[in-house]
Amino acid sequence: MRQKKFLLPESEIPTHYFNIQAIMPNKPLPFLHPGTRQPLKPEDLYPIFCKECADQELNQTDVWIPIPEEVREQYASYRCTPLVRAYELEAALGTPAHIYFKNESVSPAGSHKLNSALAQAYYAKKQGITNITTETGAGQWGGALSYAAKKFGLDCAVYMVKVSYNQKPYRRSIMQTFGAAITPSPSMSTRAGKDILTVNPNDQGSLGCAISEAIELAVTTPNCKYTLGSVLNHVCLHQSIIGLEAEKQMELAGEYPDIVIACFGGGSNFSGIAYPFMRHNILEGKKTRFIAAEPYSCPKLTRGKFEYDFGDESGLTPLLPMYTLGHKFKPATIHAGGLRYHGAGVIMSQLMKDGFMEAVDIEQLDSFKAGVLFAQTEGIIPAPESCHAIAATIGEALKCKETGEAKTILFNLSGHGFVDMSAYDQYFSGEMVNYHVSDETLAEYIKSADALNQ
Ligand SMILES: *Cc1c(COP(=O)(O)O)cnc(C)c1O
């Protein structure tokens, strides 16, 4: 019988995270203080993030960073995750390509996000922190953080955008099941929330406001820190565990990827699957291609601009050097909520600028078409975000069919779609649409970032 799954025992869970910053030919430009324009130091981040994460964020020297034993023990409940050869998808496409996927949907939270949530919760606990907080839009990061906080005995407060709180009751229930306190945002519990509600008591909230509320709670509460589930360097660092395992598993399969693909929101699952392989491109001249799959309606890598911009809509963060659509950009309400972000993390942006990776944009309807084919062939219903990676993979596999090349393609299945079945419902009903964004609209929003670069 041909081998379909390539598994590693728990003892093979990596002992170190891989820090690509240390080997990049051009390091990311510094984060800048928006007022003084001075480069940020780790200490500047201590009031908001726990110390270990702040240090990791700006660490450009250590290639390997040890994974604490307590975190490895938690990883053992779902890692190493399977690497699977998608034989039936290959057959349905009639492609000579060999398609593999790394299945991150098997985590208790249903996505890769738990890989970083566990690390962040552990580092906070070790520092004597008792409470962690965050915001959540679609609810995936909130769900992962709630579980991680429970594992390390921390109280977790999640600000959930009010419209999602009401429209996505199951994600809210998941967070509650894992023991977190969920507050619909805007709320009366913070200055930021009160200011909005006194003007408009029916305000339905925004991610920008939820971020403000969570950061305000963190800086005004003793022993409370803020956490983020994507974009930042320390988050991408934790996700490297995905690619480090995949590297060993591809060896078991007797292959090495010609192409590595992942969907792209802020870039954390892409980093995770890509960087361990990319290090061989950087250090040994290997020629693997790395493709980020982003939504057509939120095209920061394919149509954005590389410049300094705020990481959030309200302009509370430091200035980050990144591919951006402008921090005021309002992505269309596609179902892949995790991909609705205006910028790309600073490491990914520098690597993109330097030609180490490429990007492709995927229409919403094409993403679901690909997701349905994947579900029918491989038996896993993918998250709407992951459907973008699948669509990009199918695109490359069909090119192989034309040329007759048997390329090896590896993609990351970032999560399952069991809590997103209403999106599939909409797809089947024929009501789902594609969203386009014109060059004029993009140019207008990018101006909001240009203004910060003068
Ligand atoms: C959050 C999320 C993403 C997008 O975030 P990245 O940081 O770009 O990886 C992708 N897939 C799933 C399932 C998610 O929950």
Side-chain angles (χ1 to χ4, degrees):
M1 201 174 79
R2 62 192 185 177
Q3 189 172 355
K4 187 164 171 70
K5 291 197 296 299
F6 299 88
L7 303 172
L8 295 170
E10 286 166 26
S11 58
E12 295 277 327
I13 293 173
T15 55
H16 292 73
Y17 295 122
F18 169 60
N19 179 21
I20 196 167
Q21 289 200 79
I23 64 157
M24 285 167 68
N26 296 317
K27 309 280 187 215
L29 299 172
F31 295 24
L32 298 182
H33 186 283
T36 64
R37 302 256 157 179
Q38 289 304 304
L40 238 67
K41 296 186 288 297
E43 303 86 272
D44 297 323
L45 298 171
Y46 291 170
I48 296 177
F49 296 103
C50 75
K51 185 172 173 305
E52 184 70 36
C53 292
D55 292 345
Q56 289 175 354
E57 187 64 21
L58 302 182
N59 184 332
Q60 299 192 332
T61 47
D62 298 313
V63 183
W64 299 101
I65 294 178
I67 304 179
E69 219 27 55
E70 293 84 343
V71 176
R72 289 184 78 230
E73 275 167 23
Q74 289 302 326
Y75 283 157
S77 66
Y78 65 101
R79 307 203 73 85
C80 300
T81 64
L83 178 85
V84 183
R85 171 91 184 258
Y87 284 113
E88 299 195 29
L89 176 62
E90 289 170 20
L93 297 170
T95 176
H98 295 186
I99 302 176
Y100 292 84
F101 65 91
K102 179 76 166 153
N103 185 0
E104 290 296 310
S105 80
V106 298
S107 90
S111 81
H112 69 285
K113 288 208 170 69
L114 190 58
N115 299 333
S116 184
L118 285 167
Q120 294 190 45
Y122 170 77
Y123 291 132
K125 179 72 181 183
K126 200 176 119 212
Q127 188 185 326
I129 300 300
T130 53
N131 293 60
I132 50 179
T133 181
T134 196
E135 75 286 339
T136 198
Q140 287 147 319
W141 170 244
L145 191 72
S146 304
Y147 177 79
K150 181 56 67 189
K151 291 288 127 177
F152 288 109
L154 299 166
D155 284 336
C156 179
V158 180
Y159 288 93
M160 188 169 189
V161 179
K162 197 175 277 173
V163 58
S164 310
Y165 182 91
N166 293 321
Q167 281 176 1
K168 298 190 189 272
Y170 295 132
R171 290 238 192 258
R172 187 178 82 205
S173 314
I174 288 172
M175 291 185 269
Q176 281 163 341
T177 303
F178 289 144
I182 327 295
T183 307
S185 166
S187 76
M188 293 300 279
S189 69
T190 64
R191 181 81 260 151
K194 261 187 215 154
D195 284 350
I196 290 173
L197 288 176
T198 42
V199 176
N200 178 8
N202 291 320
D203 190 283
Q204 289 303 296
S206 68
L207 212 47
C209 172
I211 294 173
S212 306
E213 291 207 88
I215 293 181
E216 184 181 326
L217 185 75
V219 298
T220 57
T221 312
N223 286 321
C224 178
K225 294 293 169 199
Y226 173 70
T227 66
L228 257 185
S230 182
V231 184
L232 294 178
N233 300 341
H234 66 274
V235 182
C236 298
L237 173 76
H238 305 150
Q239 296 297 350
S240 65
I241 193 162
I242 302 173
L244 292 169
E245 287 178 8
E247 198 185 348
K248 289 188 191 167
Q249 289 164 305
M250 289 300 297
E251 238 168 74
L252 289 180
E255 303 216 57
Y256 190 87
D258 298 304
I259 305 176
V260 176
I261 297 175
C263 66
F264 199 103
S268 76
N269 92 94
F270 173 85
S271 308
I273 189 91
Y275 294 167
F277 292 100
M278 200 183 283
R279 85 180 191 275
H280 301 298
N281 280 32
I282 294 175
L283 299 175
E284 297 142 38
K286 278 225 193 260
K287 297 275 184 265
T288 300
R289 288 172 59 207
F290 299 93
I291 305 177
E294 61 182 9
Y296 194 87
S297 55
C298 191
K300 57 253 185 182
L301 291 170
T302 49
R303 292 164 75 195
K305 183 167 173 188
F306 183 89
E307 63 183 344
Y308 274 100
D309 196 6
F310 287 117
D312 70 313
E313 194 188 317
S314 324
L316 287 172
T317 70
L319 292 173
L320 311 176
M322 61 183 184
Y323 276 93
T324 180
L325 297 168
H327 61 281
K328 297 284 182 205
F329 182 75
K330 296 213 182 336
T333 51
I334 53 170
H335 290 280
L339 307 186
R340 295 179 66 237
Y341 182 66
H342 69 274
V346 304
I347 297 177
M348 293 66 92
S349 294
Q350 188 64 46
L351 291 168
M352 180 81 187
K353 192 158 173 269
D354 291 342
F356 284 103
M357 55 180 276
E358 44 192 296
V360 61
D361 48 15
I362 306 286
E363 297 264 27
Q364 174 156 259
L365 286 167
D366 291 338
S367 73
F368 277 90
K369 185 175 174 208
V372 170
L373 178 64
F374 182 77
Q376 293 179 356
T377 49
E378 297 300 323
I380 303 169
I381 298 180
E385 291 84 359
S386 314
C387 290
H388 290 70
I390 298 169
T393 299
I394 292 175
E396 290 298 325
L398 291 176
K399 280 186 210 158
C400 289
K401 187 175 174 177
E402 273 171 34
T403 60
E405 286 172 290
K407 288 194 179 152
T408 301
I409 306 174
L410 166 65
F411 79 86
N412 193 43
L413 183 75
S414 54
H416 68 65
F418 295 155
V419 198
D420 301 288
M421 293 318 293
S422 64
Y424 279 85
D425 268 356
Q426 212 197 28
Y427 174 69
F428 293 123
S429 74
E431 283 162 23
M432 186 178 282
V433 295
N434 284 332
Y435 293 97
H436 288 191
V437 44
S438 71
D439 290 340
E440 293 71 37
T441 306
L442 286 182
E444 207 43 51
Y445 282 111
I446 288 173
K447 272 194 207 151
S448 68
D450 288 345
L452 301 166
N453 287 269
Q454 262 129 41

